[in-house]
Amino acid sequence: MRRRRAARALQAVAFDTIGAGYGEAFPAKDGQLACGRQLLAELEPGARVLDVGCGTGDPTVRQLVAGGLRVTGIDLSDVMLSLARQARFPGEHPPEFHRIDLFDLATERAGQVWNAPGLGPLGKDGFAAVTAFFSLILLPQDEIPTVLARLRELLRPGGLLALGMVEADLDHVPLPFLGRELRINGYLREDLERVLVTAGFTVEGCSGHPYAPASTTLPPEEQLFLCCRRVG
């Protein structure tokens, strides 16, 4: 556990360094925005959404707040959260932002360590939807089922999960990323769907998008976007 927390701290430092450069390297968000439109079409006005790994809040927080939803964004990077808090998000419900390790969601540590008790056991069944676009790729594969189970706990019965991942057979492999080295995981499509089903979700839609980052130091990738629903 100490090694895991040390690794997460290093990831946070990496994203502190990257800051707004992340959006510049990955400017096209078509798949992510399509998932957001699907959530807006299905959720009632004022429904609560948790954006896991919100970064600066663009584009997901901005899109969902503008659509009338109540959004809570979480991230582990102080710099990313600072940029999000400084941004203007027009909409009826201003977003909330919390610094917390996604691994601690739905646990007592949410309140004890991160001062976010509403994201711990008290938040059970409290969200209509969760979005997690390319935040789970920073975890080793053996932690993914645990995190998915915790996200499921925070979702109301029948709640929605919109997930973005990279399609690749990788498990915590060190790769260069915008001037830093990060350990990345990925799944083949059928393997990822199997993990989600085992964690208590149905996969209602899955689409693949070839993507070439704006940064020439990053290789092209296949992005997967999945729309899922909590079972039970």
Side-chain angles (χ1 to χ4, degrees), residues 19-30:
Y22 182 89
E24 295 168 2
F26 295 92
K29 306 286 187 182
D30 294 346

Side-chain angles (χ1 to χ4, degrees), residues 10-222:
L10 289 174
Q11 289 174 357
V13 170
F15 278 93
D16 284 345
T17 303
I18 293 166
Y22 182 89
E24 295 168 2
F26 295 92
K29 306 286 187 182
D30 294 346
Q32 197 164 328
L33 290 168
C35 287
R37 288 192 294 271
Q38 187 162 343
L39 293 181
L40 288 170
E42 183 155 347
L43 297 176
E44 70 278 9
R48 298 182 68 212
V49 180
L50 178 64
D51 186 19
V52 177
C54 64
T56 64
D58 281 315
T60 297
V61 174
R62 184 173 302 280
Q63 180 188 28
L64 299 184
V65 168
L69 302 181
R70 299 178 186 270
V71 182
T72 299
I74 69 160
D75 209 286
L76 198 53
S77 165
D78 281 317
V79 170
M80 291 288 196
L81 288 171
S82 178
L83 292 169
R85 290 175 177 132
Q86 292 169 27
R88 292 185 67 255
F89 296 97
E92 183 179 354
H93 308 291
E96 299 179 4
F97 295 101
H98 296 278
R99 183 173 183 268
I100 181 172
D101 186 340
L102 62 87
F103 195 80
D104 292 331
L105 291 169
T107 73
E108 295 291 349
R109 284 179 57 84
Q112 295 170 353
V113 176
W114 304 103
N115 195 31
L119 299 177
L122 291 176
K124 180 178 172 61
D125 299 342
F127 289 91
V130 171
T131 58
F133 295 116
F134 307 104
S135 48
L136 272 60
I137 67 171
L138 297 171
L139 302 178
Q141 286 187 5
D142 61 2
E143 292 183 2
I144 299 295
T146 298
V147 171
L148 288 173
R150 292 173 179 174
L151 295 180
R152 185 182 180 280
E153 286 185 43
L154 295 177
L155 278 170
R156 68 189 184 188
L160 305 175
L161 170 66
L163 182 65
M165 294 285 285
V166 173
E167 184 169 24
D169 188 11
L170 301 172
D171 186 9
H172 218 43
V173 175
L175 295 173
F177 187 85
L178 298 178
R180 311 289 297 193
E181 182 179 271
L182 292 176
R183 290 186 174 271
I184 303 295
N185 91 65
Y187 289 92
L188 300 180
R189 188 173 313 204
E190 57 273 19
D191 293 333
L192 179 56
E193 292 188 7
R194 188 159 43 247
V195 170
L196 285 159
V197 169
T198 301
F201 294 93
T202 58
V203 178
E204 298 186 341
C206 179
S207 62
H209 296 253
Y211 192 93
S215 170
T216 57
T217 64
L218 297 170
E221 61 189 36
E222 180 76 7

